[in-house]
Amino acid sequence: MNRTPASAAPERAAENTGTTAQGNGTPLSHGLKQRHLSMIALGGVIGAGLFVSSGLGIAAAGPSIVLAYALSGLLVMLVMRMLGEMSAANPASGSFSVYAERALGPWAGFTAGWMYWTLLTFAVGVEGLGAAGIMTGWFPSTESWMWVLAFMVVFLGANLASVKNFGEFEFWFAALKVAAIGLFLVLGALAIFGVLPGTDAPGTDNLTGHDGFMPNGVDGLVVGLVASVIAYGGLETVTIAAAESENPVKGVANAVRTAMWRIALFYIGSMFVIVMLIPWNDPKVVGDGPYVAVLNVLDVPAAGEIMKFVVLAALLSAMNANIYGSSRMAYSLVARGQGPAFLGKVSGGVPRLAVAASCVFGFVTVLLNYWSPDKVFVWVANMIGAVVLIVWGFIAVSQLQMRRRLEREAPEKLVVRMWLFPYLTWVALAGVVTFLALMARQDDTREQLYYSTGLAVALTIVGLIRQKANAKQR
């Protein structure tokens, strides 16, 4: 199926299974069990952004945050379906970067892969800062940079040891997140219907009162849309992890097929519960966080500390997953000749140098946090703002090409199919463009778009130069 020169065949064949790096006969481990992959898929939907950034989204959009999460959730479902179709047909540790290379050329795989690597490595720093903020609240005599350093050392060590360690960490983190959000939804539903002891049914007062369903107009909804898209970022990791599981095709297929109800239940469902039970303009929504604010209204004992523990687990889970995902993306890029060869060396079934390289910015964040703790979070967040949308654009364009090729050359591999192809693929691509345009019209997000677009342009130029140079050598 790959239409690549014969000289590139060994690397491409290796990446079909995501097991062997260029110039290195040692394979990646297949240490992820089906229970690991199932829980990663389930808990991966409950990202740190849901707990951390949703309060700001509610403050901007009001009750229409439910609409924002529903619209962006529809886009995510389409993206995951497209990615699932390609991943089930050809599991690869490089996931969409591999498919972009096959569909559009080496420059596209280079650009999409290194953009995502940058996104994940920067996100490690953001999540470390968020987790450190919780720890310094519990231990006020400590400094934020100390906790970021401690977390980085722990997860670096875990990911260097074996992929099974990553899977076990994620299994229990995911189990905790699923249990917590599930309990929150049950308590919220009981309170909405007025059957929870000590509560009265709120009706639609909070949903339509306080200046209406869309109190800040379209501008507020746009801010909520952008915040929700960023919260969904990272769901792609399950397709990267699948390449190191016992049954990649089955794992990806199950994860993708259940994505719809998981997104609807955990994201949209929890936003609905929040705006039904408390006024959107309550200062505690941002100050304490929307989940803590709701639990306090319901008189749940120690609600604040309980949710802080859950948020901490979500942040640490994201750190762990992003170190894993970025290291495998770097490994895959090297396996295809798209990066420095030393990162492709595998020992003990783990690309340890790729893991270490993917942690570099996390450790840089320690220094930045030490020097300028008030500015580092905003600076890092701006660097990764629109990257996820650009990556989704690559996924949509790649699927348009890959689906036709699969139908022609290997239709038996289409165990997961994109709905109403090609129409919904074009809808998803239009959605990505629309979200980028919305970011361009907002002062708060325009800077993020500029940084991310600049990164995409720079990587594209480098990728095209590399592609032309390689073509001349052949």
Side-chain angles (χ1 to χ4, degrees):
M1 188 174 71
N2 257 337
R3 302 189 176 183
T4 54
S7 60
E11 291 86 344
R12 303 302 185 270
E15 188 49 34
N16 272 340
T17 58
T19 55
T20 307
Q22 182 183 26
N24 185 0
T26 306
L28 286 182
S29 167
H30 283 259
L32 292 179
K33 299 183 181 298
Q34 191 59 41
R35 68 178 179 89
H36 293 146
L37 203 61
S38 297
M39 193 57 78
I40 289 169
L42 186 61
V45 168
I46 309 171
L50 178 63
F51 297 110
V52 176
S53 63
S54 57
L56 294 174
I58 293 170
S64 67
I65 192 68
V66 177
L67 178 60
Y69 270 86
L71 291 173
S72 55
L74 286 172
L75 176 59
V76 173
M77 290 175 195
L78 297 178
V79 170
M80 285 301 294
R81 190 75 184 186
M82 291 184 287
L83 184 54
E85 177 183 287
M86 294 184 289
S87 297
N90 293 288
S93 59
S95 187
F96 51 83
S97 172
V98 174
Y99 314 136
E101 178 171 340
R102 292 175 181 173
L104 305 172
W107 72 268
F110 179 90
T111 302
W114 286 116
M115 279 197 76
Y116 197 69
W117 182 85
T118 304
L119 166 68
L120 295 187
T121 54
F122 276 42
V124 167
V126 172
E127 286 136 4
L129 290 171
I134 294 174
M135 297 304 295
T136 54
W138 286 337
F139 303 97
S141 61
T142 60
E143 298 290 337
S144 177
W145 66 267
M146 298 176 182
W147 290 108
V148 179
L149 178 60
F151 295 143
M152 288 302 306
V153 170
V154 168
F155 290 121
L156 171 60
N159 278 274
L160 284 174
S162 73
V163 70
K164 185 178 178 181
N165 286 348
F166 159 74
E168 285 297 325
F169 267 115
E170 284 307 291
F171 180 86
W172 294 109
F173 278 142
L176 175 62
K177 291 188 290 182
V178 169
I181 202 74
L183 181 60
F184 175 83
L185 290 171
V186 170
L187 291 174
L190 293 174
I192 288 172
F193 289 107
V195 296
L196 189 70
T199 62
D200 297 318
T204 60
D205 289 349
N206 293 322
L207 195 63
T208 58
H210 310 285
D211 297 324
F213 181 74
M214 199 180 295
N216 294 320
V218 175
D219 287 345
L221 177 62
V222 168
V223 175
L225 282 168
V226 173
S228 63
V229 166
I230 294 173
Y232 283 122
L235 298 183
E236 310 83 2
T237 302
V238 69
T239 63
I240 296 174
E244 289 183 80
S245 68
E246 295 173 325
N247 192 333
V249 175
K250 179 181 177 182
V252 168
N254 288 341
V256 170
R257 285 169 179 157
T258 59
M260 181 176 294
W261 72 261
R262 289 183 282 120
I263 290 171
L265 179 64
F266 294 136
Y267 276 91
I268 304 170
S270 61
M271 289 300 107
F272 180 75
V273 166
I274 291 167
V275 298
M276 282 290 289
L277 292 178
I278 56 175
W280 67 271
N281 54 0
D282 188 329
K284 293 179 181 178
V285 170
V286 175
D288 297 337
Y291 292 86
V292 173
V294 168
L295 292 177
N296 282 332
V297 167
L298 300 181
D299 290 326
V300 175
E305 298 308 308
I306 292 172
M307 284 310 302
K308 282 180 182 178
F309 183 75
V310 174
V311 172
L312 178 65
L315 288 164
L316 296 180
S317 171
M319 285 186 72
N320 187 40
N322 289 340
I323 290 172
Y324 170 82
S326 56
S327 66
R328 270 40 177 197
M329 183 60 74
Y331 159 84
S332 171
L333 286 161
V334 170
R336 291 174 280 132
Q338 299 276 28
F342 72 92
L343 293 180
K345 295 181 179 179
V346 177
S347 59
V350 176
R352 291 191 170 124
L353 291 176
V355 170
S358 299
C359 288
V360 168
F361 188 78
F363 285 106
V364 170
T365 303
V366 175
L367 298 176
L368 294 175
N369 191 232
Y370 177 78
W371 291 325
S372 184
D374 297 331
K375 296 179 181 179
V376 62
F377 187 92
V378 174
W379 183 81
V380 175
N382 279 343
M383 288 298 293
I384 63 176
V387 169
V388 68
L389 283 166
I390 297 172
V391 167
W392 290 353
F394 273 109
I395 291 172
V397 175
S398 300
Q399 192 265 340
L400 279 172
Q401 298 295 321
M402 293 289 290
R403 171 63 174 269
R404 294 188 175 96
R405 193 177 300 174
L406 282 169
E407 288 177 333
R408 184 172 62 251
E409 300 176 4
E412 71 280 359
K413 289 187 175 183
L414 285 169
V415 295
V416 176
R417 289 176 178 266
M418 178 60 180
W419 306 299
L420 297 177
F421 177 82
Y423 307 109
L424 286 184
T425 300
W426 283 109
V427 168
L429 192 55
V432 168
V433 173
T434 300
F435 273 99
L436 290 171
L438 291 175
M439 290 188 73
R441 68 186 293 270
Q442 294 293 319
D443 293 337
D444 294 340
T445 55
R446 192 176 296 123
E447 185 176 6
Q448 298 177 15
L449 181 62
Y450 290 159
Y451 276 113
S452 300
T453 302
L455 175 63
V457 170
L459 287 173
T460 297
I461 292 172
V462 174
L464 288 170
I465 292 172
R466 286 173 53 88
Q467 183 173 313
K468 289 182 179 179
N470 290 336
K472 288 181 180 179
Q473 290 177 1
R474 292 169 187 149

